[in-house]
Amino acid sequence: MTLESLSSRLPATEGIEPADPHSLFAMARSSVDQACAITNTPNYVQEMLGQPKNELMVHFPVRMDDGRYKLFKGYRIQHNNVLGPYKGGIRYHPEISLDDVKALAVWMTMKCALMRLPFGGSKGGVMVDPARLSPAELMRLTRRFTSALGDNIGPEFDIPAPDVGTNAQVMDWMMDTFLNTHNQATRQNLVHVVTGKSITCGGSEGREKATGQGLGMVLQELLPEFNLKLDKLRVSLLGFGNVGKHAAAAMAAHGSTVVAVMDHTRAITRPDGLNIAHLADYVQTKGNIRDYQAQGLRTLNRQEFYSLPTDVFIPAALERMINPEVAAWLNCQVVAEGGNGPVTPEAAQLLRQRGITVLPAILCNAGGVIVSYLEWVQNKAGVHWDSAQVERELRKTILLAARRVRVAAHQYDVDLSSAAYCVAVEHLSRAYTQRGIFP
Ligand code: NAD
């Protein structure tokens, strides 16, 4: 029996998808399905990319500082590993859901394939607001979650990293817990079970700023197509966390003017440009931009923020924030997705009609996973590279991917966003064709 005829006998998956039309997983899947159709990908590959391989849900107790015990829900979704070990972040957020984590895992598979990294895609998280936990509670929660994941993570199997609500400290605790619960004799060889660790604990130079820095490199490569010059650019950013602040710093370093920033507390503008280093220092201490002051600074309401005339708008906050209402307000030429899935499909359609180009997250925010891969490689080899070497490898990998996307857009006569998925799907499909399906 051929694989094609096998695929026609597989049960249809449509019936088991969430009915929610705003499902993030349905949104991620539709991009993959569309790319499969454009590239004429075999049905059986499309079916396999349509569902995660493994979905793990755990409930685990944590002792709080007041002596009470609280039960938490955690997830780990392993979407695909045809190219290598599963790879994906851990998110701590009170509104995390199975559907969202599945979508984020799909995007990791696509991102790693587009970047030609030897990794698959996964994602995980815990339903918790980390800001409401003490450092001791956060550590106990992280250690207990890591032990609940058990052998479902591992340095050659599934490798977590930081995402929203987690950081290098959380990764250090995960690594330490994994080492202490696994074979004593080999445990020093297991530090690459997570990436995004602190430098002291085996992290890589440049990991923290890598996502924002990579976004700057992608824009440097692709913006000339739109007759936009980096040193003349006016930029606004939604979100000023890890991705947002480093993307802003990268753009400012290229000579661009960052005219507006919005976080979950406030939107601000300064027509002559915000001092990004100063704002980043402030947010590092205060956690948000609510009370930030500077000469010439003005507070904007939501509609004023989105309607501000700019060349490039960088959404670097959470998913689905650019809905049709916001898409109608946007007054820019390019939307560069710093965060994952910020633009809903309806909004994407409206932006297309309005002639606004969307540069997709699987390209724009891949810098983080690239440097995570470099950290993994350094850990395995027992070496530590300097920042110049890390930056060189990051630039090479992300620019090659950007060029692949540009070529595919011409080849298939599609927009850059669809082209990015086509490049990823083609690579995954080739791997399946070469390897075949076991047994
Ligand atoms: P973060 O928690 O450091 O920052 C999130 C930012 O979004 C904060 O400034 C917050 O104020 C803002 N925000 C949240 N809700 C908002 C709202 N309702 N309105 C306006 N602003 C709001 O997170 P991060 O690590 O910067 O991640 C942001 C996005 O980038 C996520 O989608 C994440 O999955 C993605 N991403 C992160 C990395 C990484 O290396 N950190 C890599 C790839 C993709």
Side-chain angles (χ1 to χ4, degrees):
M1 182 184 294
T2 65
L3 289 172
E4 276 301 311
S5 62
L6 170 71
S7 71
S8 66
R9 292 157 62 100
L10 289 172
T13 46
E14 281 76 12
I16 57 171
E17 293 313 318
D20 176 7
H22 303 295
S23 149
L24 207 61
F25 179 56
M27 184 172 138
R29 242 191 91 161
S30 78
S31 302
V32 175
D33 285 344
Q34 191 202 31
C36 287
I38 295 169
T39 54
N40 215 6
T41 294
N43 279 350
Y44 75 95
V45 174
Q46 184 174 351
E47 294 255 14
M48 282 185 291
L49 296 177
Q51 290 295 339
K53 283 203 172 177
N54 304 310
E55 300 181 17
L56 178 69
M57 212 185 291
V58 294
H59 294 93
F60 58 94
V62 176
R63 183 171 49 78
M64 310 309 281
D65 289 345
D66 63 6
R68 285 183 303 159
Y69 289 88
K70 224 173 139 179
L71 197 70
F72 290 90
K73 184 193 275 287
Y75 303 96
R76 188 69 182 168
I77 303 297
Q78 293 160 342
H79 174 252
N80 190 278
N81 64 348
V82 71
L83 297 175
Y86 299 107
K87 184 87 188 82
I90 298 282
R91 178 175 293 196
Y92 287 175
H93 195 274
E95 280 157 29
I96 197 167
S97 73
L98 178 65
D99 186 72
D100 289 4
V101 185
K102 281 166 67 175
L104 291 161
V106 172
W107 284 320
M108 283 308 296
T109 300
M110 295 299 136
K111 201 177 298 180
C112 292
L114 172 58
M115 295 298 137
R116 302 295 194 253
L117 299 177
F119 283 146
S122 58
K123 201 79 179 191
V126 177
M127 196 184 279
V128 63
D129 182 354
R132 298 172 80 96
L133 298 184
S134 72
E137 288 170 339
L138 190 64
M139 180 181 74
R140 286 196 293 273
L141 175 130
T142 300
R143 290 191 182 283
R144 190 62 202 245
F145 177 50
T146 308
S147 100
L149 292 175
D151 285 327
N152 291 293
I153 57 170
E156 308 294 335
F157 176 63
D158 184 3
I159 306 140
D163 189 67
V164 175
T166 57
N167 54 22
Q169 172 65 83
V170 171
M171 293 304 115
D172 290 350
W173 287 328
M174 283 194 88
M175 183 262 285
D176 184 71
T177 307
F178 189 86
L179 261 56
N180 276 288
T181 50
H182 285 75
N183 192 334
Q184 294 278 334
T186 58
R187 69 187 203 181
Q188 284 315 320
N189 297 330
L190 304 178
V191 292
H192 51 308
V193 62
V194 296
T195 58
K197 303 179 288 286
S198 67
I199 304 263
T200 318
C201 292
S204 176
E205 301 292 337
R207 171 62 184 87
E208 213 208 295
K209 64 177 179 183
T211 308
Q213 192 180 27
L215 193 150
M217 292 170 181
V218 169
L219 290 180
Q220 194 178 12
E221 175 67 19
L222 295 182
L223 286 188
E225 300 234 332
F226 303 91
N227 290 323
L228 291 172
K229 290 199 168 56
L230 284 183
D231 58 347
K232 302 266 183 308
L233 222 58
R234 290 170 68 79
V235 179
S236 64
L237 286 118
L238 170 65
F240 203 73
N242 176 292
V243 179
K245 75 176 175 205
H246 289 298
M251 297 316 290
H254 287 305
S256 306
T257 309
V258 178
V259 291
V261 167
M262 178 158 109
D263 75 357
H264 65 288
T265 61
R266 184 184 175 208
I268 52 174
T269 185
R270 188 168 180 273
D272 292 341
L274 293 156
N275 181 333
I276 295 305
H278 191 245
L279 183 60
D281 282 348
Y282 181 88
V283 171
Q284 184 73 24
T285 323
K286 304 283 182 188
N288 57 60
I289 62 173
R290 191 195 316 262
D291 298 318
Y292 181 69
Q293 295 298 338
Q295 208 180 13
L297 194 82
R298 203 158 59 80
T299 299
L300 300 173
N301 67 32
R302 190 168 156 267
Q303 182 170 0
E304 287 170 337
F305 169 76
Y306 286 118
S307 312
L308 207 67
T310 56
D311 301 300
V312 175
F313 169 63
I314 303 176
L318 297 180
E319 294 76 27
R320 283 177 294 223
M321 292 189 64
I322 314 305
N323 56 26
E325 181 190 44
V326 171
W329 290 335
L330 283 181
N331 192 356
C332 61
Q333 206 171 326
V334 172
V335 173
E337 294 186 339
N340 289 308
V343 181
T344 69
E346 300 78 17
Q349 199 178 345
L350 187 55
L351 291 174
R352 252 193 312 276
Q353 286 164 4
R354 296 190 56 219
I356 298 175
T357 297
V358 176
L359 300 179
I362 60 168
L363 173 62
C364 290
N365 71 21
V369 71
I370 294 171
V371 177
S372 271
Y373 167 65
L374 300 177
E375 177 176 333
W376 188 73
V377 168
Q378 291 171 73
N379 288 166
K380 275 165 80 88
V383 296
H384 188 80
W385 297 346
D386 62 23
S387 33
Q389 186 168 355
V390 171
E391 194 171 322
R392 213 166 32 244
E393 293 291 328
L394 165 62
R395 182 180 298 279
K396 189 174 72 186
T397 309
I398 208 160
L399 290 191
L400 281 173
R403 287 167 198 161
R404 264 181 230 117
V405 171
R406 187 166 45 209
V407 170
H410 289 298
Q411 181 189 347
Y412 292 112
D413 193 19
V414 293
D415 60 29
L416 291 164
S417 200
S418 307
Y421 283 90
C422 290
V423 174
V425 161
E426 278 179 325
H427 189 53
L428 289 156
S429 180
R430 270 195 300 273
Y432 272 118
T433 314
Q434 287 289 120
R435 286 176 58 155
I437 302 293
F438 177 79

mmCIF file with all atom_site columns, all heavy atoms in Angstrom, residues 15 26 28 68 104 135 211 229 241 250 321 397 412 416 425:
data_model
loop_
_atom_site.group_PDB
_atom_site.id
_atom_site.type_symbol
_atom_site.label_atom_id
_atom_site.label_alt_id
_atom_site.label_comp_id
_atom_site.label_asym_id
_atom_site.label_entity_id
_atom_site.label_seq_id
_atom_site.pdbx_PDB_ins_code
_atom_site.Cartn_x
_atom_site.Cartn_y
_atom_site.Cartn_z
_atom_site.occupancy
_atom_site.B_iso_or_equiv
_atom_site.pdbx_formal_charge
_atom_site.auth_seq_id
_atom_site.auth_comp_id
_atom_site.auth_asym_id
_atom_site.auth_atom_id
_atom_site.pdbx_PDB_model_num
ATOM 1   N N   . GLY A 1 15  ? -13.404 16.738 12.592 1.00 0.00 ? 15  GLY A N   1
ATOM 2   C CA  . GLY A 1 15  ? -14.453 16.567 13.581 1.00 0.00 ? 15  GLY A CA  1
ATOM 3   C C   . GLY A 1 15  ? -13.992 16.708 15.016 1.00 0.00 ? 15  GLY A C   1
ATOM 4   O O   . GLY A 1 15  ? -14.816 16.937 15.905 1.00 0.00 ? 15  GLY A O   1
ATOM 5   N N   . ALA A 1 26  ? -6.565  26.259 15.581 1.00 0.00 ? 26  ALA A N   1
ATOM 6   C CA  . ALA A 1 26  ? -7.163  26.258 14.240 1.00 0.00 ? 26  ALA A CA  1
ATOM 7   C C   . ALA A 1 26  ? -6.445  27.287 13.360 1.00 0.00 ? 26  ALA A C   1
ATOM 8   O O   . ALA A 1 26  ? -6.207  27.059 12.176 1.00 0.00 ? 26  ALA A O   1
ATOM 9   C CB  . ALA A 1 26  ? -8.655  26.569 14.329 1.00 0.00 ? 26  ALA A CB  1
ATOM 10  N N   . ALA A 1 28  ? -3.272  28.303 13.679 1.00 0.00 ? 28  ALA A N   1
ATOM 11  C CA  . ALA A 1 28  ? -1.939  27.781 13.319 1.00 0.00 ? 28  ALA A CA  1
ATOM 12  C C   . ALA A 1 28  ? -2.078  26.713 12.238 1.00 0.00 ? 28  ALA A C   1
ATOM 13  O O   . ALA A 1 28  ? -1.311  26.672 11.274 1.00 0.00 ? 28  ALA A O   1
ATOM 14  C CB  . ALA A 1 28  ? -1.251  27.210 14.559 1.00 0.00 ? 28  ALA A CB  1
ATOM 15  N N   . ARG A 1 68  ? -0.339  26.396 53.169 1.00 0.00 ? 68  ARG A N   1
ATOM 16  C CA  . ARG A 1 68  ? -1.392  25.673 52.445 1.00 0.00 ? 68  ARG A CA  1
ATOM 17  C C   . ARG A 1 68  ? -0.830  25.054 51.171 1.00 0.00 ? 68  ARG A C   1
ATOM 18  O O   . ARG A 1 68  ? 0.203   25.481 50.664 1.00 0.00 ? 68  ARG A O   1
ATOM 19  C CB  . ARG A 1 68  ? -2.541  26.631 52.084 1.00 0.00 ? 68  ARG A CB  1
ATOM 20  C CG  . ARG A 1 68  ? -3.411  26.984 53.296 1.00 0.00 ? 68  ARG A CG  1
ATOM 21  C CD  . ARG A 1 68  ? -4.559  27.871 52.896 1.00 0.00 ? 68  ARG A CD  1
ATOM 22  N NE  . ARG A 1 68  ? -4.070  29.087 52.243 1.00 0.00 ? 68  ARG A NE  1
ATOM 23  C CZ  . ARG A 1 68  ? -4.798  29.851 51.450 1.00 0.00 ? 68  ARG A CZ  1
ATOM 24  N NH1 . ARG A 1 68  ? -6.037  29.541 51.193 1.00 0.00 ? 68  ARG A NH1 1
ATOM 25  N NH2 . ARG A 1 68  ? -4.289  30.942 50.912 1.00 0.00 ? 68  ARG A NH2 1
ATOM 26  N N   . LEU A 1 104 ? 1.103   26.995 19.779 1.00 0.00 ? 104 LEU A N   1
ATOM 27  C CA  . LEU A 1 104 ? 2.484   27.464 19.953 1.00 0.00 ? 104 LEU A CA  1
ATOM 28  C C   . LEU A 1 104 ? 3.480   26.356 19.586 1.00 0.00 ? 104 LEU A C   1
ATOM 29  O O   . LEU A 1 104 ? 4.558   26.621 19.053 1.00 0.00 ? 104 LEU A O   1
ATOM 30  C CB  . LEU A 1 104 ? 2.687   27.950 21.399 1.00 0.00 ? 104 LEU A CB  1
ATOM 31  C CG  . LEU A 1 104 ? 1.911   29.249 21.727 1.00 0.00 ? 104 LEU A CG  1
ATOM 32  C CD1 . LEU A 1 104 ? 1.749   29.440 23.244 1.00 0.00 ? 104 LEU A CD1 1
ATOM 33  C CD2 . LEU A 1 104 ? 2.606   30.472 21.128 1.00 0.00 ? 104 LEU A CD2 1
ATOM 34  N N   . PRO A 1 135 ? 9.354   34.417 45.348 1.00 0.00 ? 135 PRO A N   1
ATOM 35  C CA  . PRO A 1 135 ? 10.438  33.680 44.681 1.00 0.00 ? 135 PRO A CA  1
ATOM 36  C C   . PRO A 1 135 ? 10.511  32.219 45.149 1.00 0.00 ? 135 PRO A C   1
ATOM 37  O O   . PRO A 1 135 ? 10.747  31.314 44.339 1.00 0.00 ? 135 PRO A O   1
ATOM 38  C CB  . PRO A 1 135 ? 11.694  34.458 45.077 1.00 0.00 ? 135 PRO A CB  1
ATOM 39  C CG  . PRO A 1 135 ? 11.201  35.849 45.347 1.00 0.00 ? 135 PRO A CG  1
ATOM 40  C CD  . PRO A 1 135 ? 9.820   35.698 45.915 1.00 0.00 ? 135 PRO A CD  1
ATOM 41  N N   . THR A 1 211 ? 16.030  37.210 20.374 1.00 0.00 ? 211 THR A N   1
ATOM 42  C CA  . THR A 1 211 ? 14.785  37.280 19.598 1.00 0.00 ? 211 THR A CA  1
ATOM 43  C C   . THR A 1 211 ? 14.613  38.676 18.996 1.00 0.00 ? 211 THR A C   1
ATOM 44  O O   . THR A 1 211 ? 14.361  38.822 17.792 1.00 0.00 ? 211 THR A O   1
ATOM 45  C CB  . THR A 1 211 ? 13.584  36.899 20.484 1.00 0.00 ? 211 THR A CB  1
ATOM 46  O OG1 . THR A 1 211 ? 13.868  35.648 21.101 1.00 0.00 ? 211 THR A OG1 1
ATOM 47  C CG2 . THR A 1 211 ? 12.320  36.767 19.670 1.00 0.00 ? 211 THR A CG2 1
ATOM 48  N N   . LYS A 1 229 ? 14.208  52.614 4.507  1.00 0.00 ? 229 LYS A N   1
ATOM 49  C CA  . LYS A 1 229 ? 15.602  52.653 4.989  1.00 0.00 ? 229 LYS A CA  1
ATOM 50  C C   . LYS A 1 229 ? 15.587  52.646 6.510  1.00 0.00 ? 229 LYS A C   1
ATOM 51  O O   . LYS A 1 229 ? 14.874  53.430 7.137  1.00 0.00 ? 229 LYS A O   1
ATOM 52  C CB  . LYS A 1 229 ? 16.288  53.921 4.481  1.00 0.00 ? 229 LYS A CB  1
ATOM 53  C CG  . LYS A 1 229 ? 16.542  53.927 2.984  1.00 0.00 ? 229 LYS A CG  1
ATOM 54  C CD  . LYS A 1 229 ? 17.614  54.977 2.654  1.00 0.00 ? 229 LYS A CD  1
ATOM 55  C CE  . LYS A 1 229 ? 18.133  54.859 1.240  1.00 0.00 ? 229 LYS A CE  1
ATOM 56  N NZ  . LYS A 1 229 ? 17.100  54.937 0.216  1.00 0.00 ? 229 LYS A NZ  1
ATOM 57  N N   . GLY A 1 241 ? 8.422   43.721 26.676 1.00 0.00 ? 241 GLY A N   1
ATOM 58  C CA  . GLY A 1 241 ? 9.056   42.704 27.513 1.00 0.00 ? 241 GLY A CA  1
ATOM 59  C C   . GLY A 1 241 ? 10.346  42.265 26.850 1.00 0.00 ? 241 GLY A C   1
ATOM 60  O O   . GLY A 1 241 ? 11.009  43.066 26.186 1.00 0.00 ? 241 GLY A O   1
ATOM 61  N N   . ALA A 1 250 ? 17.439  47.042 19.012 1.00 0.00 ? 250 ALA A N   1
ATOM 62  C CA  . ALA A 1 250 ? 18.077  46.704 17.729 1.00 0.00 ? 250 ALA A CA  1
ATOM 63  C C   . ALA A 1 250 ? 17.715  47.757 16.684 1.00 0.00 ? 250 ALA A C   1
ATOM 64  O O   . ALA A 1 250 ? 18.572  48.208 15.911 1.00 0.00 ? 250 ALA A O   1
ATOM 65  C CB  . ALA A 1 250 ? 17.624  45.314 17.265 1.00 0.00 ? 250 ALA A CB  1
ATOM 66  N N   . MET A 1 321 ? -3.859  39.860 19.307 1.00 0.00 ? 321 MET A N   1
ATOM 67  C CA  . MET A 1 321 ? -4.160  41.240 19.729 1.00 0.00 ? 321 MET A CA  1
ATOM 68  C C   . MET A 1 321 ? -4.510  42.134 18.548 1.00 0.00 ? 321 MET A C   1
ATOM 69  O O   . MET A 1 321 ? -5.139  43.174 18.716 1.00 0.00 ? 321 MET A O   1
ATOM 70  C CB  . MET A 1 321 ? -3.007  41.807 20.550 1.00 0.00 ? 321 MET A CB  1
ATOM 71  C CG  . MET A 1 321 ? -2.896  41.072 21.886 1.00 0.00 ? 321 MET A CG  1
ATOM 72  S SD  . MET A 1 321 ? -1.760  41.816 23.018 1.00 0.00 ? 321 MET A SD  1
ATOM 73  C CE  . MET A 1 321 ? -2.515  43.384 23.308 1.00 0.00 ? 321 MET A CE  1
ATOM 74  N N   . THR A 1 397 ? 22.221  32.265 10.099 1.00 0.00 ? 397 THR A N   1
ATOM 75  C CA  . THR A 1 397 ? 21.049  31.377 10.057 1.00 0.00 ? 397 THR A CA  1
ATOM 76  C C   . THR A 1 397 ? 19.780  32.138 9.699  1.00 0.00 ? 397 THR A C   1
ATOM 77  O O   . THR A 1 397 ? 19.005  31.709 8.842  1.00 0.00 ? 397 THR A O   1
ATOM 78  C CB  . THR A 1 397 ? 20.876  30.680 11.427 1.00 0.00 ? 397 THR A CB  1
ATOM 79  O OG1 . THR A 1 397 ? 22.118  30.091 11.782 1.00 0.00 ? 397 THR A OG1 1
ATOM 80  C CG2 . THR A 1 397 ? 19.802  29.625 11.384 1.00 0.00 ? 397 THR A CG2 1
ATOM 81  N N   . TYR A 1 412 ? 6.244   30.873 -5.699 1.00 0.00 ? 412 TYR A N   1
ATOM 82  C CA  . TYR A 1 412 ? 4.829   30.485 -5.602 1.00 0.00 ? 412 TYR A CA  1
ATOM 83  C C   . TYR A 1 412 ? 3.875   31.662 -5.827 1.00 0.00 ? 412 TYR A C   1
ATOM 84  O O   . TYR A 1 412 ? 2.658   31.491 -5.747 1.00 0.00 ? 412 TYR A O   1
ATOM 85  C CB  . TYR A 1 412 ? 4.551   29.872 -4.223 1.00 0.00 ? 412 TYR A CB  1
ATOM 86  C CG  . TYR A 1 412 ? 5.233   28.538 -4.009 1.00 0.00 ? 412 TYR A CG  1
ATOM 87  C CD1 . TYR A 1 412 ? 6.267   28.394 -3.098 1.00 0.00 ? 412 TYR A CD1 1
ATOM 88  C CD2 . TYR A 1 412 ? 4.834   27.411 -4.743 1.00 0.00 ? 412 TYR A CD2 1
ATOM 89  C CE1 . TYR A 1 412 ? 6.898   27.172 -2.915 1.00 0.00 ? 412 TYR A CE1 1
ATOM 90  C CE2 . TYR A 1 412 ? 5.460   26.189 -4.558 1.00 0.00 ? 412 TYR A CE2 1
ATOM 91  C CZ  . TYR A 1 412 ? 6.489   26.080 -3.645 1.00 0.00 ? 412 TYR A CZ  1
ATOM 92  O OH  . TYR A 1 412 ? 7.103   24.870 -3.464 1.00 0.00 ? 412 TYR A OH  1
ATOM 93  N N   . LEU A 1 416 ? 4.815   37.111 1.714  1.00 0.00 ? 416 LEU A N   1
ATOM 94  C CA  . LEU A 1 416 ? 5.967   36.604 2.469  1.00 0.00 ? 416 LEU A CA  1
ATOM 95  C C   . LEU A 1 416 ? 5.534   35.694 3.614  1.00 0.00 ? 416 LEU A C   1
ATOM 96  O O   . LEU A 1 416 ? 6.240   34.741 3.971  1.00 0.00 ? 416 LEU A O   1
ATOM 97  C CB  . LEU A 1 416 ? 6.799   37.782 3.002  1.00 0.00 ? 416 LEU A CB  1
ATOM 98  C CG  . LEU A 1 416 ? 7.523   38.583 1.919  1.00 0.00 ? 416 LEU A CG  1
ATOM 99  C CD1 . LEU A 1 416 ? 7.998   39.927 2.466  1.00 0.00 ? 416 LEU A CD1 1
ATOM 100 C CD2 . LEU A 1 416 ? 8.733   37.810 1.388  1.00 0.00 ? 416 LEU A CD2 1
ATOM 101 N N   . VAL A 1 425 ? 7.182   23.811 5.397  1.00 0.00 ? 425 VAL A N   1
ATOM 102 C CA  . VAL A 1 425 ? 6.446   22.587 5.084  1.00 0.00 ? 425 VAL A CA  1
ATOM 103 C C   . VAL A 1 425 ? 7.202   21.733 4.065  1.00 0.00 ? 425 VAL A C   1
ATOM 104 O O   . VAL A 1 425 ? 7.268   20.510 4.188  1.00 0.00 ? 425 VAL A O   1
ATOM 105 C CB  . VAL A 1 425 ? 5.020   22.967 4.593  1.00 0.00 ? 425 VAL A CB  1
ATOM 106 C CG1 . VAL A 1 425 ? 4.381   21.832 3.838  1.00 0.00 ? 425 VAL A CG1 1
ATOM 107 C CG2 . VAL A 1 425 ? 4.150   23.385 5.767  1.00 0.00 ? 425 VAL A CG2 1
#
